[in-house]
Amino acid sequence: MKSWKDNIRTVVPYVPGEQPQVDSIIKLNTNENPYGPSERVKSIKLDTDNLRKYPDAKSSLLVDKLAEYHGLKPEQVFVGVGSDDVISMCFLTFFNSDKPVFFPDITYSFYDVWASVYRIPYEQKPLDENFNIVKDDYMQENGGIIFPNPNAPTGILVGTDFIEDIVKANPSSVVIIDEAYIDFGGESVLPLIDKYDNLLVVRTYSKSRSMAGLRIGYAMGNAELIKYLNDVKYSVNSYTMNMPSLILGSAIIDDEEYFRTTLAKIISTRDKFSADLEKLGFTVLPSKSNFVFASHKTVPATEIFEKLKEKNVYVRHFNAPRIDNFLRITIGTDEEMTKVVSLLETICCATN
Ligand code: PMP
């Protein structure tokens, strides 16, 4: 007898970082921004009566604002419920070939999950021994390319020339650059979308824009790419963006000064924290994001992870080949990072 279970779309799901619902912890495990949205945005009163209506399916308030901010036409911007939603739609729309989609072996751990759930063939290209993306690996026939810049969880950035070479060499594939962390010191490849019709750049509000809880992400590319994305979106769920997201998400774009100030603070805290970690015997990969990826020379990552957790400090550990002795630590406030350094001093010196 056949069972209904034979017809299930089974998948091994993505495992999100823990979100303990308490305030008394130092939460450095999901790359959130330690600074909230600007005071002006926090003071906006929403007309909740309007929630009885569906939101604008075109999300024009937000799309127009983002287009203006980035110097694009509204037809070049696609918005979604976090960049997870945007990238998931991209996999469905652009990766529709029998050839494998390429992404690094060590990268955002959602990519292989989307490929699996949509039954898209893929090949994971190994990073080199220093955790760098190997350009030549992306010069072979493929069904699409995606990687973050800077990469996650390594935090390592590649230059725009590196990406341009890949985009240029792959005119028959869509190349998606996931710029979730680009604002923390990287150079965006956004200007290249005018030159290459196969390049799509994805951004999120969850990191540099301090709004992970609102769930906003967006993609930018030529109008034809964006049209194909919208066709798929309207075939899955037309009202993706809720009214608070449209209003608050467009309002925060006006607070450029606050944005720049908080970014500068995070970058300076990151660089100091990296130096402090090195003094404690950690190897720290050169990060251009709002986290560092570090491994201690003698104390195992799992031991540090558990000991920090006992002290209510949450960081991220990936039980995966080559990186299981590393910890990914989000950059919090100066005060939080000073506390973490002092805890690490105790943990690493007591064990040595
Ligand atoms: N891309 C990368 C590289 C990420 O690290 C994350 C955060 N988990 C995302 C995309 C998704 O972020 P969000 O859905 O919050 O926009």
Side-chain angles (χ1 to χ4, degrees):
M1 262 281 269
K2 279 222 151 217
S3 156
W4 54 267
K5 288 185 188 167
D6 298 327
N7 297 324
I8 296 289
R9 181 179 291 264
T10 54
V11 67
V12 180
Y14 170 74
V15 183
E18 271 181 274
Q19 295 292 348
Q21 301 300 312
V22 286
D23 289 333
S24 55
I25 60 166
I26 297 185
K27 192 173 176 306
L28 308 174
N29 66 336
T30 50
N31 300 340
E32 287 142 338
N33 196 310
Y35 307 106
S38 65
E39 288 307 317
R40 199 183 60 84
V41 166
K42 282 196 267 188
S43 71
I44 292 175
K45 294 269 174 295
L46 296 169
D47 179 1
T48 46
D49 198 35
N50 254 335
L51 290 173
R52 69 186 182 78
K53 293 192 283 185
Y54 283 105
D56 169 22
K58 284 189 177 162
S59 305
S60 294
L61 187 66
L62 184 59
V63 165
D64 292 357
K65 191 73 180 187
L66 288 170
E68 187 195 338
Y69 181 75
H70 289 292
L72 303 172
K73 297 193 198 92
E75 303 82 69
Q76 294 181 279
V77 179
F78 173 86
V79 293
V81 187
S83 53
D84 281 344
D85 178 43
V86 173
I87 301 169
S88 155
M89 285 292 118
C90 289
F91 268 67
L92 201 51
T93 310
F94 302 122
F95 298 162
N96 190 32
S97 155
D98 296 335
K99 292 178 206 130
V101 169
F102 291 170
F103 46 85
D105 61 342
I106 298 167
T107 194
Y108 185 31
S109 53
F110 222 140
Y111 298 157
D112 58 333
V113 176
W114 285 312
S116 303
V117 75
Y118 296 136
R119 308 294 188 248
I120 297 165
Y122 64 94
E123 244 176 68
Q124 291 168 294
K125 301 291 184 185
L127 298 183
D128 73 12
E129 66 284 6
N130 297 317
F131 298 102
N132 293 307
I133 295 175
V134 181
K135 197 204 290 178
D136 280 352
D137 286 348
Y138 298 83
M139 301 298 190
Q140 304 143 11
E141 243 198 325
N142 61 74
I145 291 172
I146 180 165
F147 58 84
N149 193 41
N151 194 10
T154 63
I156 296 177
L157 180 86
V158 295
T160 47
D161 291 351
F162 181 103
I163 294 176
E164 182 163 10
D165 288 347
I166 292 176
V167 176
K168 205 191 299 179
N170 287 282
S172 49
S173 298
V174 174
V175 178
I176 301 173
I177 304 300
D178 177 354
E179 291 193 337
Y181 302 99
I182 198 72
D183 293 322
F184 301 102
E187 191 186 345
S188 172
V189 289
L190 188 61
L192 294 181
I193 64 170
D194 288 334
K195 203 165 159 193
Y196 300 98
D197 64 1
N198 59 326
L199 172 65
L200 197 80
V201 176
V202 178
R203 297 273 183 92
T204 176
Y205 270 53
S206 303
K207 320 294 176 184
S208 57
R209 296 270 172 204
S210 300
M211 281 185 157
L214 207 53
R215 311 301 300 126
I216 299 178
Y218 58 106
M220 296 170 284
N222 80 80
E224 208 180 356
L225 278 183
I226 300 300
K227 185 209 164 289
Y228 285 123
L229 255 182
N230 270 312
D231 287 349
V232 170
K233 172 204 128 152
Y234 282 109
S235 311
V236 175
N237 178 5
S238 25
Y239 301 109
T240 48
M241 308 305 287
N242 60 53
M243 180 267 273
S245 294
L246 297 177
I247 293 175
L248 301 175
S250 74
I252 204 164
I253 296 297
D254 288 329
D255 293 327
E256 184 69 12
E257 199 184 318
Y258 178 79
F259 176 58
R260 295 284 154 206
T261 309
T262 48
L263 280 180
K265 279 208 253 186
I266 293 167
I267 291 169
S268 123
T269 310
R270 174 193 70 206
D271 294 347
K272 177 169 186 311
F273 181 63
S274 301
D276 287 347
L277 285 184
E278 279 172 357
K279 280 185 220 141
L280 291 177
F282 281 86
T283 302
V284 186
L285 301 191
S287 172
K288 287 289 178 201
S289 36
N290 69 337
F291 56 83
V292 295
F293 203 49
S295 171
H296 195 265
K297 293 195 172 76
T298 53
V299 190
T302 45
E303 188 179 323
I304 303 174
F305 177 86
E306 289 304 336
K307 289 196 166 151
L308 284 176
K309 200 165 174 181
E310 278 166 22
K311 298 283 179 197
N312 283 328
V313 176
Y314 284 63
V315 298
R316 191 86 196 254
H317 174 254
F318 298 94
N319 195 11
R322 293 177 71 194
I323 55 168
D324 56 356
N325 204 27
F326 277 80
L327 292 174
R328 192 196 66 189
I329 309 175
T330 305
I331 301 304
T333 59
D334 272 331
E335 203 188 352
E336 287 173 324
M337 301 326 279
T338 304
K339 183 151 183 216
V340 173
V341 169
S342 115
L343 286 172
L344 288 173
E345 213 163 5
T346 315
I347 295 168
C348 298
C349 296
T351 321
N352 270 338

